[in-house]
Amino acid sequence: MATYDDISIGDSASFSKTISESDVYLFAGITGDLNPAHVDAVSAARGMFRQRIAHGMLTGSFISTVLAMQLPGPGSIYVSQTLNFRAPVFFGDTLTARVEAIEKLEQRRWVKFKTTVTNQDGKTVVEGEAVVIPPSA
């Protein structure tokens, strides 16, 4: 856990996970997003990417994992997040979500982070910025 005072500009943390079919189906069931692009191999084969893709929000949720569990860590409160989806994520892709402190918002004692998710080839699949209230001491 890192408090506002513990965090320096440039501090970073990451989390990696390989996307499985089970991950996508569980996310679809929890959210109700049963878009055939995610859950129907036959339909997806006729689509833009020629195979099923993971939900963009599933991919983006790994940013939350880093912020909540590593930097700043447990007790953090998510204030905002922008997400720009840059490339599809396929079943079997290994993703790495990374956050980097880019600005300390002194008046409120919040921290702004650059957020990125890359695949196993180093290609950026999601990018954006998050604002977080770090835990207090």
Side-chain angles (χ1 to χ4, degrees):
M1 173 184 77
T3 66
Y4 179 85
D5 293 325
D6 296 330
I7 297 171
S8 298
I9 301 303
D11 285 355
S12 65
S14 63
F15 168 80
S16 296
K17 176 162 181 33
T18 300
I19 300 299
S20 70
E21 184 174 43
S22 295
D23 295 328
V24 172
Y25 276 87
L26 288 168
F27 190 85
I30 290 167
T31 63
D33 181 353
L34 301 172
N35 183 332
H38 310 303
V39 299
D40 182 343
V42 173
S43 178
R46 294 188 304 264
M48 176 186 301
F49 301 112
R50 304 288 180 226
Q51 60 182 302
R52 291 176 293 170
I53 57 172
H55 301 76
M57 293 306 290
L58 172 60
T59 301
S61 71
F62 299 130
I63 295 165
S64 178
T65 301
V66 182
L67 293 168
M69 301 310 296
Q70 295 184 40
L71 181 67
S76 298
I77 302 298
Y78 228 144
V79 175
S80 66
Q81 173 76 59
T82 60
L83 295 172
N84 297 302
F85 300 102
R86 300 294 183 202
V89 172
F90 301 107
F91 294 22
D93 280 356
T94 298
L95 304 179
T96 299
R98 183 176 187 273
V99 304
E100 178 183 348
I102 59 170
E103 185 179 354
K104 293 181 79 170
L105 308 170
E106 185 66 40
Q107 184 175 3
R108 296 185 108 166
R109 297 182 62 82
W110 294 359
V111 181
K112 183 183 287 187
F113 292 88
K114 176 183 177 184
T115 59
T116 57
V117 181
T118 55
N119 67 15
Q120 66 278 358
D121 299 321
K123 184 171 188 169
T124 299
V125 297
V126 176
E127 63 186 2
E129 290 184 347
V131 175
V132 175
I133 304 171
S136 50

